[in-house]
Structures are given as C-alpha cells and as structure tokens.
Amino acid sequence: MGTYEVKKSGDGVMFSLKAGNGEIIGTSEVYNTRDSLDTGIASVRKNAAAAPVEDQTTEVFEQRACPKFEVFADKSGKARFRLKARNGEIILASQGYASKQNCLAGIESVKANAAGAVVSEIT
C-alpha cells in the first residue's frame, strides 16, 4: 500500500507519494496551509486513476483534456511526468527517469497507489 508522506518545507508543507516499497513516485508543490495540502492529496486521489497520458516526447502528439499525465523530457534529457488536475494545475510531479519506459511505469504506480494510500506525518 502507498503512503502520502507529509512534511514541512520552508514556510509551508508538501507531500510525497510513496509506493508500497517506499520509493517516491511523485511530489507535490509547497502549500501554504495544511488544508490546501489536504485538498491536493484529495485531487491526486480523485484524478490519478482515470487520467490519460499525453506523451509530449514525440514530435506530434494528441493533446488531452485535464486531468492528465504529461510525459516530457527535462533539460538534461531525462523523462518526467506531471499530473495535472481538471483545472490544469500541477498536483504531482516525478523525479527524472533514465527512460520513458521507466517513467510510464512510474505513472502506473501512481495510478495503483494514489487512491488507497494512507497519510503519514513526518516530523
């Protein structure tokens, strides 16, 4: 079972979604309040399972409506994804992956873990 690991970050709070094996699959932005963070977690839970993948690493790709996972190459050429909510806001972002295949596996892990993940406070 996955975990939303909540921790303080500067003047705010953020979360990381971890898979059952403890690996971080995605992280949130920094929220000003705990209520905003809880809304972010609820949005990931709600949107992840049904969100289609928009592969922006190809020259021509079909734009998808939000919510969606966007797969892209960062400046160093690593594959990354971000999950966007229905309103277009980024609610979860990944680490850099060495291959697009590993990035897509990360998306599948988010889909498998997001809804049932428990919230854990890090002090």
Side-chain angles (χ1 to χ4, degrees):
M1 177 187 309
T3 305
Y4 290 99
E5 191 173 86
V6 175
K7 62 184 174 184
K8 290 184 179 187
S9 179
D11 291 334
V13 289
M14 63 181 295
F15 66 85
S16 296
L17 175 58
K18 290 186 165 187
N21 64 3
E23 292 292 317
I24 294 174
I25 354 174
T27 56
S28 73
E29 66 179 335
V30 176
Y31 295 93
N32 293 327
T33 67
R34 178 56 194 253
D35 286 344
S36 296
L37 178 133
D38 289 340
T39 300
I41 290 174
S43 186
V44 172
R45 287 185 199 272
K46 177 181 176 183
N47 291 298
V53 174
E54 180 180 286
D55 185 355
Q56 298 177 354
T57 65
T58 60
E59 194 169 312
V60 178
F61 61 89
E62 180 183 346
Q63 283 201 292
R64 306 275 188 168
C66 292
K68 65 183 173 183
F69 285 94
E70 293 178 337
V71 174
F72 63 99
D74 67 16
K75 291 179 184 176
S76 66
K78 292 190 175 191
R80 293 182 180 266
F81 69 80
R82 56 188 160 230
L83 174 58
K84 287 190 168 182
R86 193 166 305 280
N87 65 3
E89 292 291 317
I90 297 169
I91 52 177
L92 194 70
S94 76
Q95 64 181 5
Y97 291 93
S99 72
K100 183 166 70 171
Q101 215 40 40
N102 288 345
C103 182
L104 294 172
I107 290 171
E108 290 306 311
S109 186
V110 170
K111 289 182 175 206
N113 286 282
V118 297
V119 176
S120 172
E121 307 288 331
I122 301 300
T123 56

